[in-house]
């Protein structure tokens, strides 16, 4: 008997495999509907008609104010915010269907990831070019030459591409990503501090002679842009060696963000961001805060969260300096910045409160009552919000826009912000309201609108003395000390109401 060997199957070519997957996708979901394309194009045209002129005035005003620190700081903050968005979205990702079927298949990874890389580069060039054009519109003399316009566009686009390359590098190296996040927070805080220092110094406007000529700036911008394009081509060439788990993780996170936007449930975003952060942390040791029993367990947990997320602290310092920047503007803007900033500062530990509300099993194992839970959870956010309020209102006082012990008023409003943050962390958009609001585009759930103001309504009531003081006590009138006492009493009353309304039984029983 003779044995015959079966011929080894020949693997399919990558082009044939992609063609097969494309046919299966078309058979499953169909081709692009022309009506959908028409609706998207019509929406773009309507947006350009409605918002084109106001945005044009913002990007290119009729009169130039000259070189100034606030303009440069604002442009840098916008670019840092864009970097933060890229860090959250990947930025080199594929759809979850492609991550399931094409990523593990013998398909060239460079071909699979090229659309995402090109989209990232295009968006970075557009955002950076818009920021550069806005800076040139406020700095350049009128009438502006075409050289100035192209210099602003090329310089902004080059800066955007460099930030995109940094985000791509951070995605492939988690250690670099953590360093980038902390550095971005520190730079943002330093920029806001520079803007506040400029206001405290009475304003500083560098002379136009300090700036290089428009031709020199255009040449430098073009050179940097070309170098960024070369670096982008180098990244594209190395896409084939990217590990699969990096791409799959980023694609899953981006898909979760799309689900949150489709389901209109913003609380999913914070949950996804938290899971993504803790999944990349390794080598975490048990702290002495948990081993020793000098602190309550939930208070120790909040302190550990603050210590193990150091990137949030520079952002808190930066936002605390923001009220001093808008102190000369409308009063309602100052009030809004103070309320939102205090709530954000107290929400640093809101992740644990949201987890307690969604899964009380851990608290049940600890044998804690609801009163004990809220009493322990109030300590850390109250302290952080109090320090934030003291720094924020103290800096506004230092600019001369306010007079009196405003730092003490911010210190007294800290517990009120903690109560509002706990109230906000317990709820989600789906759990607040299910009534749909009829709109020309269909039904819109009311839960999202209520979620956006959830916590702010409680904070506005508990910080009513501070709000009234901001409206009725402008400089040079001095803040009365009785307002500070009333604010402290109202903050303590809010904490007592939150604790007393809770049951004395064990959570979940």
């Amino acid at each position: 008997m003779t044995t015959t060997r079966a011929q080894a199957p020949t693997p399919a070519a990558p082009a044939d495999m992609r063609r097969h997957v494309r046919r299966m996708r078309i058979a499953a979901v169909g081709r692009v509907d022309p009506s959908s394309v028409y609706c998207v194009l019509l929406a773009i045209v309507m947006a350009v008609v409605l918002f084109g002129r106001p945005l044009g005035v913002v990007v290119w005003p009729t009169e130039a104010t000259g070189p100034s620190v606030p303009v440069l700081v604002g442009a840098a903050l916008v670019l840092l915010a864009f970097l933060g968005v890229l860090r959250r979205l990947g930025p080199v990702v594929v759809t979850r269907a492609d991550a399931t079927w094409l990523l593990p298949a013998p398909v060239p990874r460079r071909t699979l990831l090229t659309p995402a890389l090109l989209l990232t580069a295009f968006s970075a060039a557009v955002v950076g070019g818009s920021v550069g054009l806005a800076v040139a519109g406020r700095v350049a003399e009128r009438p502006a030459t075409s050289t100035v316009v192209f210099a602003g566009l090329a310089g902004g686009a080059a800066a955007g591409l460099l930030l995109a390359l940094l985000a791509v590098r951070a995605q492939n190296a988690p250690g670099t990503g953590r360093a980038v996040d902390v550095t971005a927070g520190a730079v943002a805080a330093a920029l806001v501090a520079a803007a506040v220092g400029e206001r405290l110094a009475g304003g500083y406007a560098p002379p136009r002679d300090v700036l290089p000529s428009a031709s020199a700036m255009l040449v430098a911008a073009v050179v940097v842009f070309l170098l960024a394009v070369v670096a982008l081509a180098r990244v594209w060439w190395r896409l084939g060696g990217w590990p699969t788990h990096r791409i799959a993780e980023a694609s899953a996170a981006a898909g979760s963000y799309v689900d949150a936007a489709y389901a209109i449930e913003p609380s999913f975003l914070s949950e996804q961001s938290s899971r993504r952060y803790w999944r990349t942390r390794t080598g975490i040791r048990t702290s002495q805060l948990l081993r020793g029993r000098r602190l309550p367990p939930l208070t120790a947990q909040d302190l550990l969260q603050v210590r193990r997320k150091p990137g949030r602290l520079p952002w808190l310092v930066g936002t605390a300096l923001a009220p001093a920047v808008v102190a000369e503007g409308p009063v309602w803007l100052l009030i809004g910045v103070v309320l939102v900033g205090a709530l954000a500062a107290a929400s640093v530990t809101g992740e644990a409160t949201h987890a307690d509300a969604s899964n009380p099993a851990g608290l049940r194992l600890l044998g804690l009552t609801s009163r004990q839970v809220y009493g322990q959870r109030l300590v850390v956010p109250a302290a952080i919000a109090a320090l934030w309020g003291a720094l924020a209102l103290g800096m506004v006082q230092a600019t001369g826009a306010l007079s009196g012990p405003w730092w003490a008023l911010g210190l007294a409003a800290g517990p009120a912000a903690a109560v509002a943050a706990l109230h906000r962390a317990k709820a989600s958009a789906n759990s607040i309201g299910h009534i749909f609001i009829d709109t020309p585009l269909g039904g819109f759930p009311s839960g999202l609108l209520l979620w956006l103001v959830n916590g702010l309504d409680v904070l506005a009531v508990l910080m009513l003395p501070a709000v009234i003081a901001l409206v009725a006590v402008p400089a040079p009138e001095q803040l009365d000390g009785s307002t500070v006492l009333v604010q402290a009493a109202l903050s303590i009353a809010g904490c007592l109401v939150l604790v007393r309304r809770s049951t004395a039984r064990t959570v979940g029983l």
Side-chain angles (χ1 to χ4, degrees), residues 227-416:
L227 292 177
V229 171
V230 172
L232 187 67
R234 185 179 179 183
V235 170
W236 173 80
W237 183 257
R238 294 184 176 182
L239 285 178
W242 273 40
T244 303
H245 66 281
R246 303 287 184 211
I247 306 171
E249 180 183 0
S251 301
S256 300
Y257 294 151
V258 173
D259 292 341
Y262 180 78
I264 318 181
E265 178 53 277
S267 61
F268 289 166
L269 299 180
S270 59
E271 293 179 2
Q272 177 63 30
S273 178
S274 174
R275 293 176 182 176
R276 185 180 182 184
Y277 176 83
W278 292 112
R279 190 163 53 245
T280 57
R281 293 298 302 269
T282 57
I284 297 179
R285 300 177 181 179
T286 304
S287 174
Q288 295 294 335
L289 292 174
L290 295 179
R291 289 179 178 176
R293 298 190 177 183
R294 285 168 286 186
L295 289 176
L298 300 185
T299 303
Q301 183 189 15
D302 291 341
L303 288 175
L304 284 177
Q305 284 191 353
V306 174
R307 194 184 72 178
R308 287 173 176 171
K309 287 189 175 182
R312 293 185 177 184
L313 299 180
W315 286 104
L316 288 179
V317 176
T319 54
L321 301 178
V325 179
V326 300
E328 297 295 336
V331 179
W332 61 266
L333 180 60
L334 177 60
I335 294 174
V337 171
V338 170
L339 292 179
V340 174
L343 184 61
S347 300
V348 172
T349 59
E351 172 188 333
T353 304
H354 185 74
D356 294 343
S358 59
N359 185 18
L363 299 179
R364 190 182 308 150
L365 293 175
L366 292 176
L368 298 176
T369 64
S370 297
R371 292 181 182 178
Q372 292 174 335
V373 169
Y374 290 121
Q376 296 179 20
R377 290 294 189 197
L378 278 172
V379 176
V380 177
I384 294 177
L387 294 177
W388 186 94
L391 179 60
L393 295 181
M395 292 303 300
V396 178
Q397 177 185 347
T399 60
L402 300 175
S403 177
W406 286 91
W407 63 270
L409 184 63
L411 199 66

Side-chain angles (χ1 to χ4, degrees), residues 165-182:
L165 290 172
L166 185 61
V168 171
R169 170 62 182 172
Q171 178 184 352
N172 199 21
T176 304
R178 288 191 292 268
V180 167
D181 294 339
V182 175

